[in-house]
Amino acid sequence: MKKLLSAALVLTMGVTCAGSLAACGGESESNDAEVAKKAIASINSLYEGKKTIDNDYTVLGQTKVDGELYNVNWSVSSATFNNLNDYVKVSAEMNDKKEYTVSVTKAETAIEYKLKASVTVGKETATAEYERAVTAKSKESQGTLEDPYSASYAKELASKLEIAEKYAETDEIPLVYVKGYVVDCGSDSGSRVGFVYIADTYAEDKDKNSEDAIMILSINYGEILKSYSDLGKGDLITVSGFLMNYRKTGATGDPQPEVTYKGSTGIQCHALEKAEDKRTDDQKIADALEAVNANMTINRVGETALPLSDEEAVTFAWALKSGDAATVADGKVNVAALPTEDKTVVVTVTATCGSATSTKDVTITIKAATPVTGGVKFDFSTLTATKGVKLTNETALELFNKTCNAESGIVSVEVENVYEGTGAGGGKPDTAGIVKMGTGKANGKIDLTFGSAVTKIEIKCHDFYNMNAANPTNKNTLSVNGDARLTPYNENGDGDVMTFELTTAATKISIESGLRVYLYEIIVYFAA
């Protein structure tokens, strides 16, 4: 039983001031103060002294005095460091060991703070404070995408570097990650130089001369991120590049610390968040509908998801407007059976944002069935991604179901280094309608598991390798269940068919590329 009882509870038990001085405060409150002091004393023995702790740690949530347990409340504070809770924070609840966790994250500068313990017994509270510190991020650290430098810290580092007398180039990209709010951007068309200034915080009156701003410079290229139209004041971005302390030849005044890039592909935008969206509801709807293609193609039975809104504040509702080759419900088109010849249906999307609404019609072509005797075909020609979207097991299964011309019987898909579409390079810059396997340094893998045994698989594909006088032979391969062969050379064409007859029928088909191979379609044949 707890030693402390509330005054209300004591009175209900029939104790009066005349009958017991302890029941009305006096001696009881004095005892409570002593107990609280003893509790804090036991905590002091564990936590006193100044300590630097850079990792998460735990503190006791309870302490025992004279056989009774009392709760310990913990908090952190700093008189010199703003936003302490972004870096040092006490968990809201105890774990199963009756401990609180103090989570610690390093900042750009060292943090000194007070760790405070308090124990309350009755109306009496005893407290104690302990000096704690977190060291700064290592100045030798390059920063990471998950833990980028602030703009002002990157500026501080750059200012300590040796002054460069002209635009410098390096192959060591990226060296740092820097995060901040856009306060200015533009380009110099004469020198083909693009620049963006980012700062730690954003305000309407901030510009490139702000103390916490640093310049993001693209050497000899006018492109920063995608284009300047993609950026606006207040956008929060994380970029990567290398630091330098720049002063152009012949220039006077102080050098300008900056984060610099080499080449048009050196600029990276790892995050882009609008600090404030000033568009009207009608503008948000217009932007959301503009992103919806006016035409779609479906070449499989079953459900196909219709696009969702790219705008967080805008919702889409879909309905069938005309045509009988498909139905629409719950944001999906359902094709019961492929027609004998191509048919079209028109669906309408209604976009809503606040009280504003607008509509757009989308024409969907339902492709005629392409019979595959004894098998099914996965046709990637309708895929729209161009930039090389890396597939997960879940998105790969969705892709294969979406591209099948009939019920596939597919159970699962496992992928490694497989992409929808391809990025620039390799003779096929920004290409849709394909699946790319592998990279320049790693093979690609696709494991397809079916409910029925497979006896043969045909893959329309071609290699990545660019044959020429210096490289007269193809080096890319494709294997199915261990049967490896050179892929057809057809760098700029639509691929040729490779046929793999399985010696033993199997429900699992393992396809592996030797580095990069482009796939256009896969036909799987099942045992009779």
Side-chain angles (χ1 to χ4, degrees):
M1 177 179 179
K2 293 283 186 183
K3 283 197 170 188
L4 177 64
L5 299 176
S6 70
L9 180 57
V10 172
L11 289 174
T12 62
M13 297 170 65
V15 180
T16 66
C17 290
S20 172
L21 179 62
C24 294
E27 183 181 335
S28 174
E29 292 178 359
S30 176
N31 288 340
D32 291 345
E34 288 301 318
V35 172
K37 288 179 181 179
K38 287 182 179 180
I40 284 297
S42 68
I43 293 296
N44 278 337
S45 64
L46 298 173
Y47 300 106
E48 64 183 349
K50 183 175 182 179
K51 296 180 182 178
T52 297
I53 307 175
D54 291 333
N55 302 310
D56 294 355
Y57 60 95
T58 58
V59 289
L60 291 177
Q62 292 181 335
T63 187
K64 185 178 290 187
V65 177
D66 298 333
E68 294 287 341
L69 284 173
Y70 295 91
N71 290 334
V72 184
N73 296 312
W74 293 92
S75 62
V76 292
S77 62
S78 175
T80 59
F81 194 87
N82 295 328
N83 304 319
L84 178 65
N85 282 341
D86 291 341
Y87 299 94
V88 182
K89 183 184 298 184
V90 181
S91 62
E93 297 179 356
M94 289 186 286
N95 60 25
D96 55 3
K97 296 181 180 180
K98 302 302 180 183
E99 297 172 330
Y100 290 100
T101 298
V102 182
S103 56
V104 175
T105 302
K106 288 185 179 181
E108 287 76 19
T109 58
I111 303 172
E112 293 187 355
Y113 64 98
K114 300 287 189 181
L115 175 67
K116 181 178 179 180
S118 65
V119 176
T120 299
V121 181
K123 296 180 180 180
E124 301 296 325
T125 299
T127 63
E129 290 185 337
Y130 313 103
E131 293 184 353
R132 295 291 183 264
V134 182
T135 59
K137 294 177 182 176
S138 169
K139 293 187 182 298
E140 287 72 39
S141 169
Q142 296 180 352
T144 65
L145 177 55
E146 294 75 20
D147 191 17
Y149 290 144
S150 67
S152 61
Y153 185 65
K155 184 175 183 177
E156 178 186 340
L157 291 182
S159 67
K160 297 176 182 178
L161 299 177
E162 188 173 331
I163 296 173
E165 293 186 350
K166 58 183 179 180
Y167 290 115
E169 294 188 359
T170 180
D171 292 327
E172 299 177 9
I173 296 176
L175 287 185
V176 298
Y177 289 88
V178 184
K179 183 176 183 178
Y181 291 91
V182 175
V183 293
D184 194 9
C185 61
S187 64
D188 181 350
S189 58
S191 61
R192 297 182 64 206
V193 171
F195 60 86
V196 171
Y197 285 86
I198 62 174
D200 293 352
T201 59
Y202 176 71
E204 287 287 347
D205 59 350
K206 277 204 170 185
D207 59 23
K208 62 184 180 181
N209 297 314
S210 300
E211 289 186 0
D212 60 346
I214 189 170
M215 181 166 62
I216 310 300
L217 184 71
S218 173
I219 302 174
N220 295 330
Y221 285 88
E223 180 188 29
I224 292 253
L225 308 178
K226 296 179 181 178
S227 70
Y228 294 110
S229 60
D230 293 325
L231 287 177
K233 290 189 69 172
D235 290 350
L236 179 63
I237 64 173
T238 301
V239 292
S240 62
F242 65 93
L243 288 172
M244 66 181 296
N245 200 4
Y246 162 74
R247 182 169 61 194
K248 194 174 181 180
T249 303
T252 59
D254 294 332
Q256 170 63 57
E258 64 187 30
V259 182
T260 309
Y261 303 87
K262 173 188 175 184
S264 60
T265 59
I267 305 299
Q268 300 179 40
C269 178
H270 301 285
L272 178 58
E273 305 168 14
K274 293 293 181 183
E276 182 180 2
D277 193 343
K278 297 182 179 180
R279 294 173 299 166
T280 65
D281 290 347
D282 286 328
Q283 288 172 327
K284 293 175 183 177
I285 286 176
D287 290 343
L289 291 178
E290 184 180 0
V292 177
N293 291 327
N295 296 281
M296 289 179 57
T297 300
I298 295 177
N299 63 351
R300 61 177 295 272
V301 297
E303 292 182 336
T304 298
L306 290 162
L308 298 173
S309 170
D310 288 339
E311 298 287 339
E312 185 177 355
V314 179
T315 58
F316 281 174
W318 292 88
L320 181 66
K321 183 175 182 180
S322 63
D324 58 5
T327 58
V328 176
D330 299 325
K332 299 175 183 177
V333 176
N334 186 32
V335 177
L338 293 176
T340 55
E341 59 183 34
D342 292 356
K343 286 190 175 183
T344 61
V345 296
V346 178
V347 297
T348 300
V349 56
T350 300
T352 302
C353 182
S355 59
T357 62
S358 187
T359 61
K360 181 176 182 176
D361 289 343
V362 176
T363 300
I364 301 177
T365 300
I366 313 298
K367 300 295 290 183
T370 305
V372 177
T373 304
V376 295
K377 179 171 70 172
F378 301 95
D379 181 1
F380 306 136
S381 63
T382 60
L383 300 180
T384 58
T386 62
K387 296 290 186 179
V389 179
K390 190 170 185 178
L391 298 175
T392 65
N393 293 343
E394 292 74 18
T395 58
L397 177 60
E398 180 181 345
L399 180 147
F400 271 87
N401 279 328
K402 179 173 67 174
T403 58
C404 186
N405 72 328
E407 292 296 339
S408 66
I410 198 165
V411 175
S412 66
V413 181
E414 296 182 10
V415 293
E416 183 177 342
N417 297 322
V418 179
Y419 305 82
E420 178 186 350
T422 182
K428 281 193 173 295
D430 302 344
T431 303
I434 63 172
V435 168
K436 185 184 82 168
M437 297 182 65
T439 68
K441 296 182 179 179
N443 296 344
K445 295 181 181 180
I446 302 176
D447 287 344
L448 303 173
T449 301
F450 295 90
S452 302
V454 176
T455 56
K456 182 174 71 171
I457 182 168
E458 296 175 351
I459 303 176
K460 188 177 183 181
C461 63
H462 69 65
D463 68 325
F464 169 88
Y465 195 71
N466 186 17
M467 289 194 296
N468 52 42
N471 302 294
T473 58
N474 172 27
K475 294 182 180 179
N476 297 116
T477 62
L478 195 68
S479 70
V480 173
N481 286 16
D483 181 4
R485 309 174 196 173
L486 289 174
T487 51
Y489 171 71
N490 199 359
E491 185 70 32
N492 297 308
D494 294 330
D496 292 325
V497 175
M498 297 181 70
T499 301
F500 296 84
E501 301 275 358
L502 273 64
T503 304
T504 303
T507 56
K508 184 175 182 178
I509 303 298
S510 295
I511 306 170
E512 182 171 357
S513 67
L515 300 182
R516 290 167 287 197
V517 173
Y518 295 123
L519 308 182
Y520 291 84
E521 67 180 32
I522 297 175
I523 301 178
V524 177
Y525 295 89
F526 300 103

